Amino acid sequence: MTNASADRASGPTRRTTLTGLVGGAGALLAAGCSASPATAPPTRRTARAYASASDPTPGVMTLFKDPAFNFNGLLALGGSGYGSAEVGEVLTAVNAINKAGLSAQTYTATFKSLGDQLRKPPGSGEPDTQTTRFRALRAAQYYAQALFFVLGSDTPGSEEALYKAGRGAWDAFCERCDPVPVTARIRYGKTPLPVWFFRPDSSGERRPTVILTNGSDGQNVDMWTYGVAAALQRGWNALVYDGPGQGQLLFVDQVVFTPRWEQVVTPLVDWLSARPDVDTGKIALTGLSMAGDLAPRAAAFEHRIAALVAMPGVLSPWLGFPPEIREILTPDKAKTNEIWNKEVVPGMSPAEAATMKKRIEPFSVPAMLAARAGKMFTDFYTPATLIKSLDITDVVRRIKMPTLVLDYEFEQFYPGQPRQLFEKLTAPKDYVKLTAATGAQLHCSPMAPQQHCEVVFDWLDEKLSGG
């Protein structure tokens, strides 16, 4: 890390280095991750290569000219394959947003309105259970889309209410599943973890089980798209949970991320191991997006996990931040925050400020509460230090179970890190890169979650079920 110095970095100079945060590096930050300088080109060059205004996502459809909005729109569109979105609904929303003028406000308002609409009965006829169920699932997706950009909208204070709307839609979906997922609150410090345990049927048969771990800004509906539906189709159980820094624990309980993710996963394994319908020798753990760091960290210490999948592999979320941001952090808290508040914040545009608020909120309750009040957080040092502590480089060698590391062609957020993680592993391991040849490029294959799940569950079946 290069420590910043007030002597060599004046306000205008630092402002110059931050120019382009939104159009380039900021787009990467807004999506929850960024490029690793150890293996990627410099930040601005990466931004131009992967997220330019003329080509925000290479080789794929352009819904929005801004790469952050485009990526999130593609995620929504990709959910259609598992019923968590509808192609026509998403594209109609995209057209409406572009017609009104793309902004955090128009994006948030349009998708929230679509979620509200789906939570009401359809215009013709009385909906049956399945209609109500999948309308609720799609509503959860659209509320999640709105939630992602709400801090940059005209109503940042509605963040918790918007989260609760999406959570209500998710719960309405779950209540109409057959069988209904088992819900519980599993111990974690002073704040229990909410969990949803999905089963293919209620026979009580002992089955392989996958624990699905979300990233830094995903919602429960993403776990349906990236694991639950595929698991049920294959006769697996699936456990969805909110950990610290995620979902209910972040937006309601105000608990931020922890670098000790094994303390999150171990109680989940304890709970699963006490169930007669779980084959305790076949419990797998997956981590999506930034959880490609969290899940391997947990697996390094929780050896009852029988197989691990990192989607993609991540060694250091902190190295994912552009160097212009990392330079702000010094060993001295007062000096760091002086640089942040006097040299950086005053020169930020509203869009740049919204980007930083979004990226920092899962790591700082004061930052989240300030953002909801329309203000910028003043303590950069504390959340930056927490993010830096998520580095798992020194514990990867402790992972013993078979591990699959996914990578993606045109990985725009963690380029190079999946291969780095794979090379450090000493356990039995496999590396798969999903490519543009089948439309599965970009971080987490937003347009191809079915292909994504096929790769993951074929590998899990081979390792755990002898298929």
Side-chain angles (χ1 to χ4, degrees):
M1 180 185 70
T2 303
N3 293 331
S5 167
D7 294 333
R8 68 176 180 81
S10 66
T13 301
R14 196 175 295 281
R15 175 66 184 91
T16 300
T17 66
L18 287 170
T19 299
L21 258 182
V22 172
L28 304 182
L29 284 170
C33 9
S34 184
S36 168
T39 56
T43 302
R44 285 201 180 78
R45 187 174 161 197
T46 301
R48 287 200 298 269
Y50 296 141
S52 70
S54 60
D55 189 12
T57 42
V60 304
M61 66 184 67
T62 300
L63 304 177
F64 302 108
K65 291 184 178 180
D66 180 280
F69 288 100
N70 198 63
F71 180 75
N72 279 272
L74 292 176
L75 280 171
L77 199 61
S80 301
Y82 283 119
S84 59
E86 179 81 289
V87 171
E89 290 170 349
V90 174
L91 294 182
T92 298
V94 167
N95 288 340
I97 293 165
N98 283 326
K99 183 177 181 180
L102 176 63
S103 68
Q105 176 61 27
T106 58
Y107 195 99
T108 297
T110 300
F111 275 106
K112 178 185 181 299
S113 177
L114 185 51
D116 291 342
Q117 177 184 334
L118 288 171
R119 292 294 279 132
K120 300 174 182 177
S124 59
E126 197 68 28
D128 63 18
T129 298
Q130 291 304 309
T131 296
T132 302
R133 176 189 177 214
F134 279 100
R135 284 172 68 90
L137 181 64
R138 301 201 308 275
Q141 171 74 258
Y142 304 143
Y143 284 131
Q145 290 291 319
L147 178 65
F148 191 90
F149 292 103
V150 70
L151 293 181
S153 75
D154 296 343
T155 57
S158 66
E159 182 181 53
E160 183 177 346
L162 190 52
Y163 163 74
K164 288 180 176 178
R167 169 64 181 274
W170 167 255
D171 287 339
F173 165 75
C174 291
E175 289 164 2
R176 291 165 177 82
C177 290
D178 184 17
V180 175
V182 176
T183 57
R185 303 271 288 173
I186 297 178
R187 63 174 180 83
Y188 172 75
K190 298 179 180 179
T191 309
L193 309 175
V195 304
W196 296 261
F197 179 66
F198 291 84
R199 304 152 294 160
D201 56 49
S202 54
S203 66
E205 178 182 345
R206 294 177 74 244
R207 298 177 183 275
T209 300
V210 59
I211 302 172
L212 302 166
T213 307
N214 222 329
S216 66
D217 42 46
Q219 301 303 318
N220 300 131
V221 64
D222 299 317
M223 296 295 91
W224 175 264
T225 304
Y226 282 92
V228 176
L232 297 178
Q233 290 169 354
R234 292 160 174 79
W236 282 57
N237 301 319
L239 184 75
V240 175
Y241 68 101
D242 286 341
Q246 302 172 328
Q248 178 178 314
L249 265 74
L250 174 65
F251 295 113
V252 180
D253 299 328
Q254 300 184 7
V255 180
V256 299
F257 274 112
T258 174
R260 302 289 300 276
W261 207 256
E262 67 276 12
Q263 295 179 355
V264 180
V265 169
T266 289
L268 303 179
V269 177
D270 290 343
W271 187 82
L272 288 172
S273 297
R275 294 190 59 87
D277 52 359
V278 171
D279 186 336
T280 56
K282 297 179 179 180
I283 297 176
L285 176 66
T286 69
L288 184 69
S289 192
M290 197 189 83
D293 169 275
L294 303 175
R297 166 70 198 205
F301 296 91
E302 177 45 77
H303 297 299
R304 289 175 294 175
I305 299 298
L308 169 69
V309 186
M311 315 181 304
V314 181
L315 283 174
S316 176
W318 176 238
L319 289 181
F321 282 75
E324 296 89 346
I325 297 299
R326 300 199 315 275
E327 284 179 356
I328 299 168
L329 180 63
T330 79
D332 183 83
K333 180 176 181 179
K335 182 179 179 181
T336 296
N337 287 339
E338 182 180 12
I339 294 169
W340 172 252
N341 290 300
K342 292 185 178 180
E343 300 181 26
V344 178
V345 173
M348 281 187 174
S349 70
E352 290 167 343
T355 293
M356 288 305 300
K357 291 173 184 177
K358 177 61 182 175
R359 285 302 298 121
I360 296 298
E361 73 168 349
F363 306 96
S364 169
V365 171
M368 180 176 70
L369 297 180
R372 290 178 177 180
K375 301 176 182 179
M376 176 58 74
F377 57 91
T378 57
D379 180 9
F380 176 84
Y381 177 89
T382 301
T385 301
L386 173 55
I387 298 166
K388 189 177 179 183
S389 74
L390 295 174
D391 190 301
I392 62 169
T393 302
D394 292 339
V395 303
V396 170
R397 66 184 184 279
R398 297 176 60 114
I399 296 172
K400 303 301 182 185
M401 67 287 297
T403 300
L404 171 63
V405 178
L406 292 190
D407 199 353
Y408 311 95
E409 188 174 7
F410 300 118
E411 164 62 49
Q412 69 271 46
F413 304 141
Y414 295 112
Q417 291 210 39
R419 174 58 73 173
Q420 289 176 349
L421 174 62
F422 176 77
E423 291 176 350
K424 288 183 177 298
L425 285 165
T426 58
K429 58 186 180 179
D430 291 287
Y431 172 94
V432 174
K433 190 167 189 175
L434 296 164
T435 71
T438 57
Q441 71 270 44
L442 301 178
H443 180 69
C444 299
S445 301
M447 298 179 296
Q450 292 180 87
Q451 289 185 49
H452 194 278
C453 287
E454 288 167 2
V455 170
V456 170
F457 280 93
D458 284 352
W459 183 86
L460 287 174
D461 189 59
E462 176 185 348
K463 298 303 177 183
L464 300 186
S465 301

